[in-house]
Amino acid sequence: MSGPATYEVLAIRYATRSTSRAQTFLNHHLYGEPDSPIDMDFYLWVARNEQRTVIVDTGYSAASKGHRAPRKDLSAPVEALAALGVLPEDSPQVVVTHAHYDHIGNLHAFPASEVVLARAEFEFWTGPYASRRQFSYTTEPQELEHLRQVREQGRATLIDGATQIAPGIEVIPVGGHTPGQVVVQVATESGQAVLASDAVHFYEEVELDRPFTYLTDLTGTYRAYDLLREMTQAPGSALVAGHDAGVMTRFPLLPGAGEQVVRVG
C-alpha cells in the first residue's frame, strides 16, 4: 500500500447506458458531424492508503432509477465499495464533487462521515433556483434535503477554493457543469491522478473542446477544461473522466476485483 502522502486510486464502474453524441454534447449539430452512438458509464472513486480512505461521490440510488433513462446496473455502489473493504461503519471521508443524482444518491449510507463539497454547490442547491426545471431535472429533492441535514449535523465541510483535505489530496472548485463542481487531485506513487468527475464527462470534451449538454456556466466549463489540461501536463499525471467508457481501457484492472474496477494510480 502507498505511503502517508500517496494513495492507491480506484475507479469503480457500477452502471452503463447507451446514448448518442447528439444527446450528449451541447449543440452537437454545430460540429457538422453525423450523430453516432456513445456509451456512458457511471463511476465512483476511492483514494486510500494505510492511514485513510476517501470516497469521491456515492453514485445513484435505487430510488432514483424509475424515472431515469434505462441503464444496465453492474453493481450497487455501496456493495461495490464493501467488496473493496470500504465500509460505512468505518466513516470514510466523502467528497461530493457536485449534487446531481448520480453522485450523491447513497450519501445517506455514510451517516457518520465528514462530507466535503464546495460552498457554492451547497448554497446553489439549497437556494431559490434549484427547483427550476433546467436544474432540477438532474437532482432528487430528497437527496438535496439530505445535504441540508448533513450540514445541520455539523458533518459538512464547505470549501471556497482549492483545499487540501488530507496529505496528498486536494479538492479544487472549478464550476462550469454546476456552480460548485469540484475536481480532486490525488498524489499516487506514479504521479498525480486528477479525478475530473463531471467537469469532464468524456475525454472528447477536453480533446475536442465539446461541452456536455447539461451545464450551468458555459464559460466556466471551457475554463475548467483549460485548467484540467494544465493540471495533467506533467509526466505521470492522469486525467480520469467522469463517465467515459474509455476509463476502463486507459487504466489497468485491479487484480482480484473483477472486471469493473481499475487502478488509476
Side-chain angles (χ1 to χ4, degrees), residues 161-224:
T163 302
Q164 181 175 289
I165 63 166
I169 301 180
E170 187 175 26
V171 179
I172 305 165
V174 297
H177 178 59
T178 64
Q181 170 78 54
V182 303
V183 301
V184 184
Q185 182 169 258
V186 184
T188 74
E189 290 181 344
S190 57
Q192 297 291 330
V194 180
L195 305 178
S197 181
D198 288 7
V200 175
H201 299 71
F202 294 89
Y203 288 109
E204 290 183 33
E205 293 174 40
V206 288
E207 293 169 355
L208 300 176
D209 221 28
R210 295 186 177 182
F212 189 71
T213 189
Y214 295 111
L215 49 79
T216 59
D217 179 356
L218 181 56
T219 301
T221 296
Y222 282 128
R223 188 181 300 117

Side-chain angles (χ1 to χ4, degrees), residues 37-257:
I38 190 171
D39 289 333
M40 184 173 190
D41 285 353
F42 294 78
Y43 298 91
L44 54 155
W45 304 271
V46 170
R48 63 184 181 181
N49 61 20
E50 293 180 355
Q51 284 71 41
R52 62 178 48 83
T53 296
V54 178
I55 299 171
V56 179
D57 292 339
T58 59
Y60 64 68
S61 71
S64 72
K65 287 176 52 181
H67 57 288
R68 301 290 173 183
R71 68 208 62 198
K72 179 181 179 181
D73 291 338
L74 303 171
S75 61
V78 176
E79 293 176 4
L81 289 168
L84 295 168
V86 182
L87 304 174
E89 54 263 36
D90 293 333
S91 302
Q93 193 174 32
V94 178
V95 176
V96 167
T97 64
H98 63 299
H100 285 172
Y101 79 97
D102 53 327
H103 294 263
I104 64 168
N106 297 288
L107 196 58
H108 63 277
F110 299 88
S113 289
E114 177 195 8
V115 177
V116 180
L117 71 160
R119 187 181 306 276
E121 189 74 0
F122 180 83
E123 292 181 347
F124 180 83
W125 294 112
T126 57
Y129 293 101
S131 62
R132 299 292 180 89
R133 183 59 174 167
Q134 290 293 326
F135 296 130
S136 67
Y137 178 75
T138 50
T139 63
E140 295 287 347
Q142 68 273 19
E143 294 169 2
L144 298 181
E145 177 58 32
H146 182 68
L147 269 186
R148 293 187 185 92
Q149 295 170 10
V150 169
R151 175 67 164 160
E152 291 169 359
Q153 293 164 5
R155 295 191 293 116
T157 298
L158 305 182
I159 65 171
D160 295 300
T163 302
Q164 181 175 289
I165 63 166
I169 301 180
E170 187 175 26
V171 179
I172 305 165
V174 297
H177 178 59
T178 64
Q181 170 78 54
V182 303
V183 301
V184 184
Q185 182 169 258
V186 184
T188 74
E189 290 181 344
S190 57
Q192 297 291 330
V194 180
L195 305 178
S197 181
D198 288 7
V200 175
H201 299 71
F202 294 89
Y203 288 109
E204 290 183 33
E205 293 174 40
V206 288
E207 293 169 355
L208 300 176
D209 221 28
R210 295 186 177 182
F212 189 71
T213 189
Y214 295 111
L215 49 79
T216 59
D217 179 356
L218 181 56
T219 301
T221 296
Y222 282 128
R223 188 181 300 117
Y225 294 166
D226 291 343
L227 175 62
L228 288 164
R229 292 183 189 110
E230 292 176 10
M231 290 175 64
T232 53
Q233 283 181 347
S237 64
L239 177 64
V240 185
H243 287 275
D244 201 306
V247 168
M248 299 303 296
T249 56
R250 291 189 182 213
F251 304 103
L253 290 172
L254 179 68

